[in-house]
Amino acid sequence: MDLFGGYNPRLSRLVILNKKENLYHFPVVCNQCENAYCMNVCPTKAIKRNADGIVVIDPEKCIACGLCADYCPIKVVCLDPETGKAFKCELCQGKPLCIEACPTKALELVRMDNKGKINE
Ligand code: SF4
Ligand code: SF4
């Protein structure tokens, strides 16, 4: 599944953080926070939690204000460079494509509690 109709790192929903002057690079994605700041600040209520607990953005309601990107504490909301509309990881309906695509199988989908402990 290719959500944007092509491969473009600027449209990735997985954000690569560069730390220590580019010595470390690691991927981060939306945590689907219990108290989702992005959802709380959206002026048009374009961000909702769906029945599976995933925080999703409705592009029809998004007015490209960028507030969700500003308020996300881990900066994983991206803004489309052409439309300014927000997008982020929504877990690809439970089967994340990044996990399938990773050649070294470095990515895994796990459930964590709100203290960051992995639930077995
Ligand atoms: S976008 Fe940021 S604030 Fe919103 S649910 Fe994901 S991690 Fe939390
Ligand atoms: S950019 Fe869109 S989704 Fe984000 S806060 Fe603004 S209207 Fe809501």
Side-chain angles (χ1 to χ4, degrees):
M1 189 170 50
D2 174 359
L3 300 175
F4 281 107
Y7 290 96
N8 181 345
R10 291 173 74 203
L11 297 176
S12 172
R13 290 161 191 248
L14 181 151
V15 176
I16 305 293
L17 290 185
N18 301 312
K19 290 284 178 194
K20 300 257 180 213
E21 294 175 357
N22 286 334
L23 198 57
Y24 302 110
H25 311 275
F26 56 92
V28 282
V29 289
C30 173
N31 285 338
Q32 320 300 336
C33 306
E34 241 176 77
N35 180 18
Y37 290 104
C38 59
M39 193 158 71
N40 298 341
V41 298
C42 178
T44 62
K45 308 284 179 224
I47 308 180
K48 293 249 157 69
R49 190 180 306 279
N50 72 13
D52 296 322
I54 299 167
V55 176
V56 295
I57 302 175
D58 180 347
E60 298 294 319
K61 291 190 181 161
C62 177
I63 55 167
C65 70
L67 276 177
C68 53
D70 285 345
Y71 277 81
C72 170
I74 56 171
K75 303 294 178 212
V76 291
V77 179
C78 306
L79 302 174
D80 186 303
E82 283 179 15
T83 64
K85 293 195 180 209
F87 62 93
K88 66 173 196 66
C89 171
E90 294 175 357
L91 292 174
C92 300
Q93 287 91 43
K95 282 195 149 197
L97 292 176
C98 55
I99 293 178
E100 280 177 33
C102 176
T104 62
K105 303 292 166 219
L107 301 173
E108 193 182 347
L109 184 61
V110 295
R111 283 192 183 275
M112 294 169 120
D113 64 20
N114 57 11
K115 293 192 174 114
K117 185 168 174 275
I118 293 175
N119 293 327
E120 300 298 341

